[in-house]
Amino acid sequence: MRVSTLTVAALAFALTGTNLRAQTEDVAAKANSNPTQVFYLNNISNGVEATDIVTAIRNMLDNHNRVWLVQAQNALFVQGPPDQLALAKKLIDDVDHPRKTYRLTYTITEIDDGKRVGTQHFSMVLVSGQRTTMKQGSKIPVATGSYETGTATSQTQFTYLDIGLNFDATPDESVNGVRLRSKAEQSSLGADKTIAGVTEPVVRQTVLEGTSILTPGKPLILGSLDIPDSTRRMDIEVVAEIVK
């Protein structure tokens, strides 16, 4: 009996498809039979960090392994063979470690004509990788408008300006010490100015923002700021100390 070339090709394709389907089903069966292990992320402070860890583990493990996150519990579920679970554990241990706590002290020294006339210290406790802010000053009311009520009584609307010192800091661990992203902002009231018959306050503002590398226990001068309309300047110094 003669068999056409098309018939042979069809049989070969059918057999190949059957083999591929069988192999796929076998891989799926093996994946489903693999154990599942739960890893708790004990030192993660936000969802972005947890998502980054999940992405890294998925990229490092074999494609057929399963990785999913229960964010409410900071729990990571990994399904795979024992060697893949061991790799996942090693990766998590490498990135999910306790973070250092620092005490950050800003020293602001006011100098007039080369002489020190005042010094202020501001301290805060921060955890590596987390942003912390601190404010010291006053809220100044500023009239923004007025309107008449139904009883012909005039009502004035106010907004409030923060006047004083603001600090914004985020420390990160670095091989060279402590990498500090900081912003120091100082504001004060100047002489009032009349605009269209309305007297408005003038706010002077000075901002020092940047990234520095600190050696724990060693002070660092972040910068010097001249105070407008005066012969004075303000030096800003910071020192980081390891709490634990």
Side-chain angles (χ1 to χ4, degrees):
M1 181 179 64
R2 298 177 61 186
V3 180
S4 67
T5 303
L6 290 177
T7 302
V8 174
L11 289 172
F13 178 79
L15 291 173
T16 302
T18 301
N19 290 336
L20 290 174
R21 185 166 55 253
Q23 292 175 5
T24 303
E25 292 175 352
D26 183 57
V27 170
K30 288 182 179 180
N32 291 330
S33 65
N34 286 328
T36 300
Q37 187 169 346
V38 183
F39 301 94
Y40 290 96
L41 307 176
N42 299 313
N43 301 287
I44 299 301
S45 59
N46 57 66
V48 174
E49 294 176 348
T51 302
D52 288 343
I53 292 178
V54 171
T55 301
I57 291 177
R58 283 175 177 165
N59 290 335
M60 295 296 295
L61 299 184
D62 293 339
N63 292 333
H64 60 269
N65 295 311
R66 296 181 178 179
V67 181
W68 63 98
L69 172 70
V70 179
Q71 191 165 330
Q73 300 295 327
N74 267 359
L76 194 63
F77 289 75
V78 181
Q79 184 182 49
D83 63 319
Q84 294 288 284
L85 296 179
L87 177 58
K89 183 179 185 305
K90 182 180 183 307
L91 294 172
I92 292 173
D93 290 342
D94 287 343
V95 296
D96 182 33
H97 52 79
R99 301 190 176 190
K100 292 182 180 179
T101 301
Y102 300 94
R103 177 180 290 106
L104 204 65
T105 301
Y106 287 93
T107 299
I108 297 180
T109 303
E110 194 171 320
I111 298 175
D112 188 0
D113 197 20
K115 297 180 181 179
R116 181 180 297 182
V117 295
T119 301
Q120 291 179 288
H121 302 282
F122 303 88
S123 295
M124 63 179 91
V125 176
L126 310 88
V127 176
S128 177
Q130 295 186 6
R131 177 188 175 208
T132 302
T133 61
M134 179 172 62
K135 295 183 178 183
Q136 190 270 336
S138 305
K139 286 185 174 293
I140 305 300
V142 178
T144 57
S146 62
Y147 62 94
E148 299 290 337
T149 65
T151 58
T153 301
S154 177
Q155 299 290 334
T156 303
Q157 296 175 322
F158 290 90
T159 188
Y160 289 84
L161 303 178
D162 289 325
I163 301 297
L165 286 166
N166 297 332
F167 298 97
D168 189 321
T170 305
D172 290 294
E173 297 176 32
S174 170
V175 293
N176 299 321
V178 181
R179 183 175 63 248
L180 176 66
R181 289 171 290 171
S182 66
K183 179 180 180 181
E185 180 179 356
Q186 189 266 347
S187 58
S188 61
L189 290 177
D192 292 343
K193 187 173 183 180
T194 301
I195 303 174
V198 179
T199 301
E200 297 288 354
V202 174
V203 178
R204 294 195 181 104
Q205 186 179 51
T206 304
V207 178
L208 179 62
E209 183 174 7
T211 301
S212 307
I213 300 297
L214 306 180
T215 300
K218 184 177 180 180
L220 177 68
I221 297 291
L222 293 179
S224 296
L225 309 173
D226 288 335
I227 300 176
D229 301 328
S230 71
T231 60
R232 295 176 297 168
R233 80 169 192 269
M234 188 169 60
D235 291 344
I236 301 179
E237 178 185 276
V238 65
V239 60
E241 299 170 289
I242 300 176
V243 177
K244 63 177 181 178

